[in-house]
Amino acid sequence: MKKYIVLCAGLCLAMSFTGCRSTESAYKKAYEKAQAQAAAQQVSTTQQTETPVVTPVQTTQTQVTDNYDNVSVRRESVSVVNGSGLKDYSVVVGSMTVSANAEGLQQRLKAAGYNAQIAKADVHGQTWYRVIAATYDSKADAVRSRDQLRSTYPDAWLLYYTR
C-alpha cells in the first residue's frame, strides 16, 4: 500500500509541475507589447519637444496721461495773513495753531526759494495757520508741485481756495 501512495504522490507532483509551466510564446508576446509601448511613448515625447509656433508680438504706442481729477483736494475758506495772495489751488506743507511756528516754517521755505505764504482758517471753532509753499491756477500744476514737495514734507496736501 505504501507503494501506491508514493506512486500517486509522484504522479500528482509531476502533473502539478507540467500544468504550471508557461510557454515561450507568452514571454515573447509580453516583450513585444512592452516594446510597442516604449516606442509609442518615445514618439509622443518627440512631438512634445518640437518648437511651438509663436505669433509675433505687435506693439502699439500708448500715451500715458495723468488723471488729476482723482487727486483729493480740501476746500476751505481762508484769509491770507502773510503773503501776496492765493490762486485757486495751493500746496499746504504745514498746519499749526501757533502763528510763530507757521512763520518759522514760512521763513525756511522762503530760504529754500519758495514764495511761501500763511493763510488763516477757522476749523470747528479753532484757528489754524496754513503754511502754503506754492499756489497755482491749475490743479495739475499744484499736484506736480505737491508730489515734488512730499520728498521733504511728506504730509503736503492740496487746498482749493474758496472766496
Side-chain angles (χ1 to χ4, degrees), residues 9 42 47 71-74 82-83 96 112 123-124 132 144 152 155 162:
Q42 187 178 13
Q47 290 174 350
V71 176
S72 64
V73 178
R74 198 180 296 178
N82 186 352
M96 295 134 190
V123 180
H124 304 294
I132 298 170
R144 283 191 286 275
T152 309
D155 295 329
T162 56

Side-chain angles (χ1 to χ4, degrees), residues 3-4 20 33 52-53 56 59 68 78 88 91 100-101 107 110 140:
K3 290 183 186 180
Y4 288 118
C20 293
K33 183 177 179 182
V53 177
T59 58
Y68 296 115
V78 296
D88 289 340
V91 181
N101 293 341
Q107 293 306 317
K110 283 188 175 185

Side-chain angles (χ1 to χ4, degrees), residues 76 78-79 81-82 86 90-110 114-121 128-135 149 153 155-159:
E76 287 184 349
V78 296
S79 58
V81 174
N82 186 352
L86 300 178
S90 300
V91 181
V92 178
V93 294
S95 187
M96 295 134 190
T97 56
V98 179
S99 64
N101 293 341
E103 289 171 1
L105 180 56
Q106 179 189 25
Q107 293 306 317
R108 279 187 282 163
L109 286 168
K110 283 188 175 185
Y114 293 99
N115 183 18
Q117 303 179 52
I118 299 176
K120 184 171 124 179
W128 287 87
Y129 296 95
R130 310 289 193 204
V131 181
I132 298 170
T135 184
L149 282 163
Y153 303 97
D155 295 329
W157 50 277
L158 294 180
L159 168 72

Side-chain angles (χ1 to χ4, degrees), residues 13-29:
L13 188 62
M15 287 179 63
S16 66
F17 281 122
T18 58
C20 293
R21 192 169 91 169
S22 59
T23 61
E24 186 179 318
S25 63
Y27 287 119
K28 187 174 182 181
K29 286 180 184 178

